Amino acid sequence: MGSACIKVTKYFLFLFNLLFFILGAVILGFGVWILADRSSFIFVLQNSSSSLNVGAYVFIGVGAVTMLMGFLGCVGAVNEVRCLLGLYFAFLLLILITQVAAGVLFYFNMDKVKQEMGSIVIKLIQNYKDDQEDRLQEGWDYVQAQGKCCGWISFYNWTENAELMNRTNVTYPCSCEKKRDDDSHFVRKGFCEAPDANRTEGINSPEDWPVYHEGCMEKVQMWLQDNLGIILGVCVGVAVIELLGMLLSICLCRHVHSEDYSKVPKY
């Protein structure tokens, strides 16, 4: 291989590793978002399911290692250090195998995740308390208000809440209330009593509730699918860059005939 080809390979490898570093930062940021989010359904799942927390830490770990590998690849490519190029290739192979294994594991556990989501929400609705400051309840109120939905399967899920159904007036979850498009986006919490015109003294009938009838299950699953689609797209992009990086690093490593550690920058 001529010197011109080695230079082209070296700078292509540097470019791929720069992209690799950026995508690693995106994966790490997604993991941090899962742990830090306090205003969406992710927060409900995070506080009720240990598997999501584990997944978040896995994303953070993979993102950090990916950024480190991108940095090592950039240094090894620009300075033509065979040791760093070889180490870079080995770690890339290990990361790629881990990503494939994690993807296969996640794919075959999707049904379990969906069942777990349903049981978490149903339990939350059953134990929902009025006038109680609770981050889980606030997270679910946000989901219902923003998704314009009520309950999990339908608004009838709220009939399983004993405190709500024991009310003598027509009372309903505030976050489920139907709103006009120009209404404020402020999320109401707790239980609300219907206006005087809609009251039926002595009974709290769900048919009288001024709420959305559609459940949130399909909208939540669609939201998760859209966000997971973005993450899977990023992961596929990382895998393609990993394969190209492995190919370029092994080609460059084979044609670097001698180690010159004087090229390695001193810090």
Side-chain angles (χ1 to χ4, degrees), residues 53-221:
N53 282 327
V54 172
Y57 287 115
V58 168
F59 274 119
I60 291 173
V62 169
V65 172
T66 300
M67 292 175 68
L68 177 62
M69 291 302 99
F71 175 75
L72 289 178
C74 287
V75 174
V78 171
N79 295 284
E80 299 180 14
V81 180
R82 295 187 68 185
C83 178
L84 286 180
L85 290 172
L87 185 65
Y88 170 75
F89 177 86
F91 271 103
L92 271 189
L93 182 60
L94 182 61
I95 292 174
L96 186 60
I97 293 173
T98 303
Q99 285 177 339
V100 172
V104 171
L105 185 64
F106 180 79
Y107 177 80
F108 285 107
N109 281 277
M110 275 296 294
D111 291 336
K112 182 180 178 182
V113 171
K114 290 179 180 179
Q115 291 176 359
E116 189 178 33
M117 279 195 303
S119 62
I120 290 169
V121 174
I122 295 298
K123 184 177 179 181
L124 175 61
I125 290 174
Q126 291 172 345
N127 299 324
Y128 190 100
K129 302 294 182 184
D130 192 18
D131 297 326
Q132 177 177 304
E133 292 294 330
D134 184 272
R135 300 296 295 177
L136 281 177
Q137 291 184 179
E138 291 175 9
W140 183 243
D141 285 332
Y142 178 88
V143 172
Q144 292 187 138
Q146 296 300 314
K148 296 183 178 181
C149 53
C150 190
W152 184 242
I153 304 298
S154 74
F155 73 106
Y156 280 109
N157 288 132
W158 280 99
T159 61
E160 299 178 32
N161 184 286
E163 180 183 347
L164 177 62
M165 299 312 296
N166 285 335
R167 300 291 180 95
T168 56
N169 295 326
V170 176
T171 308
Y172 56 91
C174 299
S175 57
C176 288
E177 185 177 0
K178 288 183 179 179
K179 296 180 180 179
R180 298 189 303 271
D181 291 337
D182 58 346
D183 281 351
S184 171
H185 293 287
F186 176 74
V187 178
R188 300 175 68 189
K189 300 179 289 185
F191 298 143
C192 295
E193 287 191 3
D196 293 342
N198 293 334
R199 287 190 179 183
T200 304
E201 294 294 337
I203 186 172
N204 186 16
S205 175
E207 284 73 18
D208 296 329
W209 295 352
V211 300
Y212 298 104
H213 288 187
E214 182 186 1
C216 298
M217 180 178 67
E218 291 185 3
K219 291 187 176 182
V220 167
Q221 291 180 349

Side-chain angles (χ1 to χ4, degrees), residues 6-50:
I6 292 178
K7 285 185 178 180
V8 170
T9 302
K10 179 172 68 173
Y11 289 112
F12 262 112
L13 183 58
F14 177 84
L15 176 62
F16 280 124
N17 279 287
L18 184 61
L19 292 174
F20 195 47
F21 182 89
I22 295 171
L23 289 174
V26 171
I27 294 175
L28 187 147
F30 180 72
V32 172
W33 170 64
I34 291 176
L35 295 177
D37 194 328
R38 293 293 183 272
S39 61
S40 72
F41 186 69
I42 284 290
F43 182 72
V44 178
L45 281 181
Q46 180 200 132
N47 284 269
S48 305
S49 174
S50 59

